[in-house]
Amino acid sequence: MDKIGITDLEVFYRVGITEEERAQPQRLLLSIELEHDFTSAISRDNLAETIDYFALSQRLLKFGDDCHWQLIETLAADLAAMILDEFGPKTVWVQVKKFAVPQAGYVCVSLRRAAK
């Protein structure tokens, strides 16, 4: 299966357990990997037959507008569901990095989901 990846896309979403934590959007880094068959896109050199990673990036940047989550696990699952629904890959892998523990570089959650 062919893959497209977006690594460490910087977004600002409201996520956290406490209201104070969700009061302001927090910096998160998203990494996304899409599995799909790009054979026809390659043979025709046609963007319409693949997954437009620029359009996906723009959608991810706005995904958190007017939303909030308590858990980054829930956020990751919501991102995966949106990507499968709107962009149509065979599978999607999502990683959300959060900078919540001062002594650590980041904490993260990763999950993989497949189209039904």
Side-chain angles (χ1 to χ4, degrees):
M1 193 61 61
D2 306 316
K3 295 180 183 182
I4 288 178
I6 299 171
T7 303
D8 290 341
L9 179 71
E10 184 180 53
V11 299
F12 292 86
Y13 298 165
R14 294 176 191 270
V15 62
I17 298 297
T18 66
E19 286 187 30
E20 293 99 33
E21 200 177 6
R22 291 188 311 273
Q24 296 296 319
Q26 295 181 48
R27 177 179 177 260
L28 305 170
L29 297 179
L30 304 180
S31 292
I32 310 293
E33 188 173 275
L34 309 169
E35 293 184 343
H36 199 68
D37 182 357
F38 301 123
T39 304
S40 63
I42 292 166
S43 69
R44 294 186 178 109
D45 198 26
N46 186 352
L47 177 62
E49 297 183 47
T50 186
I51 296 173
D52 184 341
Y53 56 80
F54 181 78
L56 175 56
S57 297
Q58 297 307 298
R59 178 68 172 98
L60 293 169
L61 290 169
K62 299 213 175 283
F63 187 75
D65 293 355
D66 302 318
C67 297
H68 68 274
W69 297 265
Q70 289 190 26
L71 301 176
I72 59 175
E73 292 88 341
T74 307
L75 169 58
D78 288 352
L79 286 165
M82 177 276 292
I83 293 166
L84 286 168
D85 182 54
E86 294 181 21
F87 292 88
K90 301 293 183 199
T91 65
V92 61
W93 172 82
V94 175
Q95 182 180 66
V96 178
K97 294 177 183 174
K98 183 177 177 183
F99 305 92
V101 178
Q103 298 82 2
Y106 58 84
V107 296
C108 69
V109 167
S110 302
L111 57 81
R112 182 177 305 279
R113 298 289 185 263
K116 294 180 180 177

